[in-house]
Amino acid sequence: MRLHFPALALLASLSLLPPAMAATTTSPPADRTIQGADFTRLSQRFLDAFWQQNSDWAIQLGYYRYATRLAAPDAAERDARLRFAEQWLARFAQVDTQRLDASQRTDLALIRNQLESQRWYLSEFREWAWNPSLYNVAEPFSLLLNTDYAPLAQRLRTISERLRQVPAYYAAARASLETPTLEHTRLAIEQSAGVLNVLGEELDQAVARAKLSANERQQLKLRAQAARAAVQAYADWLRAKEPALAAGEARSFRIGKAAYEAKFQHDIQADLSAEQLYQRAVSEKASLHCRMAALADQLWPKYLPDQVAPAEPLEKIRLLIDALSVHHAKPDALLPEIRRQLPRLSQWVSDHDLLTLDPSRPLEVRETPVYMRGVAGASISAPGPYNPKARTYYNVTPLDGYSPAEAESYLREYNDWVLQILNIHEAIPGHYVQLLHSNKSASAIKSVFGNGAMVEGWAVYSERMMMESGYGGGTPEMWLMYSKWNLRSVCNTVLDYGVHVLGWNEQQVRDLLRQEAFQSEAEAAGKWRRVTLTSVQLTSYFAGYAEIYDFRERRKAAEGERFELKRFHDRFLSYGSAPVGMIKTLMQAQP
Ligand code: ZN
Ligand code: ZN
């Protein structure tokens, strides 16, 4: 059977039309002289200058030209970054947007967003003064050690040069921190062990097997020693601060309403305000509960025939979810099952004319490499802009490291129904397919400055769209589990705003997740920790989803008979990972 969710369509018609996108269509003043090919050259120059300043990020993306540079995060460096943003914003203000094609216009908007964001983060948000965990040198060192982009000896020379700058780096960190939060202080202390490990054992092993001269080896050894001492001193300094912070001197990790709204605008770039999105998530939660209760009634006699259904709807839903969750793959069958499902998903997408796929670029399912194992059970590794020929991987973390109880809990979470939704989200037609499309309109700018809410929003939207197409049989089981999964992004939005703006405490978050989102104790605990360390990011899933869904419904209503889902999706995905609002403007400009 198929279910229809009229509440969403109603919400869609109430949502706001895009404001202030008019900037791209007003006629340019006469001094805007940069156009077409000039713009492409300018943006390439910009990107190289950007990498010089952000050498850590560049290393992550496989751009090694400035890999020896480790800037000390001091006041002079922050000034330089602010000037950089101002100067480039002024330069890009010379661009005549009328003379750019859609792809270049998207690039220009992404660059501007990046620079304006950079300015706001440095001068208003000022995380550099209160988040000790920002100061962490480990990842680029780890990447330089583990990525085979050049012979090991050459990579170690780069590492040696970076190591030389580590003591100044941590001295600047200490001088920059004013009033840290307790939570980020504790995180930084915890993470120092990992940093010491990268600069210690991992590095020593690489040095031992590399072809270096005795001098180089000795110099590396001394520099590594000094670097480790600097990390240790930083951690000790934070440890010494901790008691006073715990006693009440710390800054609150809650960023408050004004900063939250501003950060939401910079990070998400949605048409709604953060508060509007929060309100919408709250009512979405209520309608999901309502539908889930009806599904639970329908399924009750099949799964729990010998029990009387409780009157309380949330309790009834929980019992049913528990009863369904025992249907799951065996631990060693998880990976083969994912492999088995992917071709079926492709087939379904083609058979139902949902969007265009590219069979020449297969997705490889693999066990998550050890150095990447951590939080997520499943993820997509996509080639960066400087390594476009690399494969795309679907990483699945094997359950060997789990206790039997942990493995069981994980498998119940990713039960037979949710596993299908996970594959939709991560692979087809979610993240993997979005990436393939985005690589067609390839520009380095688009893949570097892609919008997180668009990327996550598309993956969440694609789950919904596949459900609407009847994937998984359109059974009540499938809809119930889909709804549980969807509640996760809805509740992430609610709790992120609840904690940072409305001052919710840990108990309120746990109650929401345990009672209203049917999550496990471990998940709820992990989420509390995440919301104390991040802000706004948790809203990106629902923000992007809601905006894409609304937009589609409006186009459907406007085009009537002429509306074609496949054409809509292919067009939507053709602008790279631009913010949804920008894609809407571009699509509306070219009917
Ligand atoms: Zn089981
Ligand atoms: Zn995702």
Side-chain angles (χ1 to χ4, degrees), residues 425-426 431 455-456 459 541:
H425 179 103
E426 297 293 342
H431 289 318
V455 171
E456 285 307 340
Y541 305 79

Side-chain angles (χ1 to χ4, degrees), residues 43 46-51 54 57 61 84 92 106-115 117-118 266-267 269 385-386 438 443-455 575-579 582:
S43 62
F46 159 75
L47 207 52
D48 185 67
F50 187 82
W51 292 139
N54 296 275
W57 191 358
L61 295 178
F84 177 91
F92 282 111
T106 312
D107 282 359
L108 175 61
L110 289 172
I111 292 171
R112 278 204 187 126
N113 287 338
Q114 174 60 36
L115 292 170
S117 233
Q118 181 167 327
H266 284 290
D267 293 358
Q269 298 169 45
Y386 301 108
S438 144
S443 80
I445 298 289
K446 285 190 197 66
S447 58
V448 172
F449 300 125
N451 178 267
M454 185 278 173
V455 171
Y575 302 98
S577 311
M582 202 182 295

Side-chain angles (χ1 to χ4, degrees), residues 345 348-349 354-355 420-434 454-471 482 485-486 541 544-546 548-549 552 565 569 572-573:
L345 283 163
W348 181 274
V349 167
L354 299 177
L355 45 79
Q420 300 182 61
I421 300 164
L422 178 74
N423 287 330
I424 292 171
H425 179 103
E426 297 293 342
I428 302 163
H431 289 318
Y432 165 64
V433 170
Q434 190 262 320
M454 185 278 173
V455 171
E456 285 307 340
W458 170 263
V460 176
Y461 165 78
S462 75
E463 300 159 6
R464 169 77 196 197
M465 183 269 286
M466 289 291 276
M467 288 300 295
E468 288 173 341
S469 77
Y471 187 76
Y482 163 77
W485 176 263
N486 194 228
Y541 305 79
Y545 160 76
I548 297 171
Y549 193 88
R552 186 196 73 185
L565 197 57
H569 289 148
F572 187 87
L573 293 179

Side-chain angles (χ1 to χ4, degrees), residues 37 41 47 88 105 166 244 269 304 313 335 348 359 363 427 502 524 563:
R41 275 193 296 278
L47 207 52
W88 280 99
R105 251 190 256 186
V166 170
Q269 298 169 45
L304 295 161
L335 210 111
W348 181 274
L363 176 63
L502 307 176
F563 182 82

Side-chain angles (χ1 to χ4, degrees), residues 19 77 188 237 244 262 274 316 329 415 453 504-505 517 579:
E77 174 69 15
W237 181 76
K316 182 171 61 192
N415 56 59
W504 286 15
N505 60 28

Side-chain angles (χ1 to χ4, degrees), residues 328 331 399-413 520 522:
H328 61 71
L399 301 177
D400 331 334
Y402 286 50
S403 73
E406 284 167 346
E408 174 65 14
S409 161
Y410 183 87
L411 291 165
R412 287 176 66 102
E413 186 64 30
S520 68

